[in-house]
């Protein structure tokens, strides 16, 4: 009994459980609004968007992500990084470049297919007297 719980906690970190829980809550709230019902907690669409923005953008993106990145940096031992050699870093760079190339290619193909609107360009106008 207890061994399975410990194994599950190691295999499934709490941040993953929290992420999945928030994704479910967001999906349920959006689905309720789409069906003409108030979102979770009886919120209308405007309040739901505001709550999602605060939780997702302000707290999630800034506070939680910043804290996680700081924790990774604080627990990184530079002598261990020197010991692993350049191969993991080269693999990481190749992986990152592959993802960037795939994203660029996908966006380019979708843009050529007309899936994105033309960019809005603002040309300043000069009037007499300026």
């Amino acid at each position: 009994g207890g061994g399975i719980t410990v194994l599950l906690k190691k295999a499934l970190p709490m941040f993953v459980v929290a992420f999945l829980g928030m994704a479910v809550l967001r999906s349920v709230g959006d689905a309720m609004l789409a069906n003409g019902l108030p979102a979770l907690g009886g919120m209308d669409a405007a309040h739901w968007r505001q709550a999602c923005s605060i939780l997702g953008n302000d707290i999630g993106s800034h506070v939680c992500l910043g804290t996680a990145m700081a924790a990774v940096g604080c627990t990184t031992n530079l002598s261990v990084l020197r010991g692993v050699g350049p191969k993991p870093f080269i693999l990481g760079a190749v992986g990152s470049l592959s993802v960037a190339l795939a994203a660029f290619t996908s966006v380019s193909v979708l843009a050529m297919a007309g899936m994105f609107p033309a960019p809005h360009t603002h040309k300043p106008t000069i009037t007499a007297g300026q």
Side-chain angles (χ1 to χ4, degrees):
I4 293 174
T5 304
V6 171
L7 184 62
L8 186 60
K9 284 184 181 179
K10 285 186 177 183
L12 198 63
M14 282 306 297
F15 76 89
V16 173
V17 174
F19 177 83
L20 292 173
M22 293 303 288
V24 168
L25 287 175
R26 173 70 191 258
S27 297
V28 169
D30 288 347
M32 292 173 74
L33 285 173
N35 288 310
L37 300 170
L40 299 172
M43 288 185 258
D44 61 12
H47 286 103
W48 179 249
R49 278 193 302 275
Q50 183 180 15
C52 289
S53 176
I54 290 170
L55 283 173
N57 296 335
D58 300 339
I59 295 172
S61 294
H62 298 124
V63 176
C64 293
L65 184 60
T67 302
M69 296 304 289
V72 168
C74 289
T75 59
T76 301
N77 187 341
L78 293 178
S79 63
V80 172
L81 290 178
R82 280 188 219 109
V84 298
K87 286 184 181 179
F89 299 103
I90 293 169
L91 181 62
V94 169
S96 295
L97 289 173
S98 299
V99 169
L101 181 63
F104 178 76
T105 302
S106 299
V107 169
S108 297
V109 168
L110 291 173
M112 286 188 285
M115 298 298 289
F116 297 118
H120 298 284
T121 57
H122 174 73
K123 297 179 181 176
T125 56
I126 299 175
T127 59
Q130 287 187 343

